[in-house]
């Protein structure tokens, strides 16, 4: 730890508690303390200081203990570390280390989600923002048209802004593949709704170079060293 300390949200992320954004929310809730004193956003943790969350000690993750998982999230599981939520992803997986999701996948969608206790990696992916690909398979409630495919690929106004151009490929009468470089809230569902289509099923099959492949629903695997090296190079 640096001599002048590290920001508390980074400490919590590096400890595998949650993302930095989620850490700021927990700090604002008043459930994080440093040396017994309730912390505030922007607090720095100095060498030798103790950090607790709801009274339980939080320690930094050693380099050798860092892990990145690829998980096939079923519908109905929520990408939250909040254990008070009965559908939270952490209790569903029951992994033996403290981990959290990198990004989100909404409750009614299925497919690939990455989880980790490596705060630096999670932060780099978050900072990459709209510069990394995510691929989805989508089934809608009525036949696709050339106009639908064209407009989906060339941007639509949702949430006060126009979506970035993306790749769209029809693979069935009501079924298509889409590759996004954005992560707007419920983006694909909102895009379809704008064109008066309803998403029936949505599955994420790739995040950057990590593929869902044949991983069964509800199962996870460790991301391989080769995949991780490629991922870091892309970042």
């Amino acid at each position: 730890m640096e001599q002048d300390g590290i920001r508390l949200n980074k400490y919590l992320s590096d400890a595998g508690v949650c993302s930095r954004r989620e850490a700021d929310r927990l700090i604002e809730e008043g459930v994080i303390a440093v040396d017994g004193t309730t912390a505030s956003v922007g607090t720095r943790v100095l060498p030798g200081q103790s950090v607790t969350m709801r009274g339980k000690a939080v320690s930094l993750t050693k380099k050798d203990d860092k892990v990145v998982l690829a998980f096939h999230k079923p519908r109905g599981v929520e990408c939250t570390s909040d254990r008070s939520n009965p559908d939270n992803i952490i209790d569903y997986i029951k992994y033996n280390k403290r981990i959290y999701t990198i990004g989100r996948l909404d409750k009614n969608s299925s497919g690939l989600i990455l989880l980790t206790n490596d705060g630096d990696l999670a932060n780099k992916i978050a900072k990459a923002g709209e510069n990394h690909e995510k691929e989805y398979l989508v089934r809608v409630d009525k036949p696709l048209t050339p106009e639908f495919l064209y407009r989906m690929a060339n941007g639509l106004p949702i949430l006060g802004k126009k979506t970035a151009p993306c790749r769209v490929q029809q693979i069935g009468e009501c079924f298509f593949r889409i590759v996004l470089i954005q992560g707007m809230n419920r983006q694909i569902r909102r895009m379809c709704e704008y064109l008066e289509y309803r998403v029936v099923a949505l599955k994420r099959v790739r995040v950057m170079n990590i593929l869902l492949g044949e991983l069964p629903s509800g199962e996870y695997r460790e991301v391989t060293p080769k995949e991780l090296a490629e991922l870091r190079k892309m970042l």
Side-chain angles (χ1 to χ4, degrees):
M1 194 185 299
E2 298 95 326
Q3 288 305 305
D4 59 348
I6 62 173
R7 285 179 65 92
L8 181 54
N9 62 356
K10 183 178 188 302
Y11 182 99
L12 293 169
S13 176
D14 288 350
V17 173
C18 57
S19 67
R20 294 190 192 185
R21 182 182 298 177
E22 180 74 3
D24 284 335
R25 187 186 66 78
L26 291 172
I27 295 165
E28 288 173 351
E29 282 184 14
V31 299
I32 309 297
V34 176
D35 282 349
T37 301
T38 301
S40 58
V41 173
T43 294
R44 300 186 75 86
V45 182
L46 299 170
Q49 288 190 306
S50 64
V51 177
T52 57
M53 180 174 73
R54 298 188 177 93
K56 294 184 178 180
V58 176
S59 302
L60 289 176
T61 304
K62 296 177 182 177
K63 186 175 181 180
D64 292 345
D65 289 336
K66 290 182 179 178
V67 65
V68 182
L69 302 181
F71 173 57
H72 187 162
K73 186 189 88 67
R75 289 182 63 177
V77 174
E78 290 206 55
C79 293
T80 177
S81 301
D82 182 358
R83 308 295 279 274
S84 67
N85 184 325
D87 300 317
N88 78 83
I89 194 168
I90 305 304
D91 284 338
Y92 185 95
I93 292 179
K94 294 183 173 66
Y95 194 65
N96 60 4
K97 293 179 182 177
R98 201 195 292 259
I99 53 174
Y100 56 91
T101 61
I102 301 176
R104 299 182 63 81
L105 190 58
D106 73 61
K107 186 174 182 177
N108 291 324
S109 299
S110 65
L112 180 63
I113 184 81
L114 302 179
L115 298 100
T116 191
N117 57 6
D118 186 338
D120 283 338
L121 178 67
N123 194 51
K124 284 176 182 175
I125 292 176
K127 281 187 174 180
E130 299 183 356
N131 294 312
H132 66 267
E133 293 185 344
K134 296 180 286 290
E135 183 175 340
Y136 302 81
L137 300 179
V138 187
R139 188 177 298 280
V140 290
D141 63 339
K142 57 186 177 181
L144 306 176
T145 64
E147 181 188 9
F148 172 88
L149 297 168
Y150 176 83
R151 296 186 70 184
M152 286 289 287
N154 287 278
L156 294 167
I158 63 169
L159 298 174
K161 64 186 290 189
K162 188 176 181 180
T163 58
C166 61
R167 302 204 305 276
V168 180
Q169 175 192 12
Q170 183 169 358
I171 52 179
E173 185 181 42
C174 305
F175 197 32
F176 66 96
R177 181 190 311 274
I178 184 168
V179 180
L180 299 181
I181 56 168
Q182 286 175 303
M184 297 169 69
N185 182 253
R186 300 180 71 249
Q187 180 172 342
I188 297 171
R189 294 179 188 276
R190 292 179 192 276
M191 291 170 73
C192 290
E193 286 166 8
Y194 184 86
L195 297 174
E196 299 183 349
Y197 281 72
R198 181 176 61 84
V199 170
V200 175
L202 190 156
K203 178 189 286 188
R204 184 157 65 194
V205 295
R206 177 170 66 91
V207 174
M208 299 177 75
N209 66 308
I210 311 299
L211 301 176
L212 180 65
E214 299 300 317
L215 187 65
S217 179
E219 299 292 322
Y220 64 83
R221 66 173 178 85
E222 290 197 8
V223 171
T224 68
K226 181 181 178 182
E227 287 174 321
L228 202 49
E230 289 175 358
L231 179 63
R232 292 185 186 280
K233 192 176 294 184
M234 294 171 77
L235 293 170

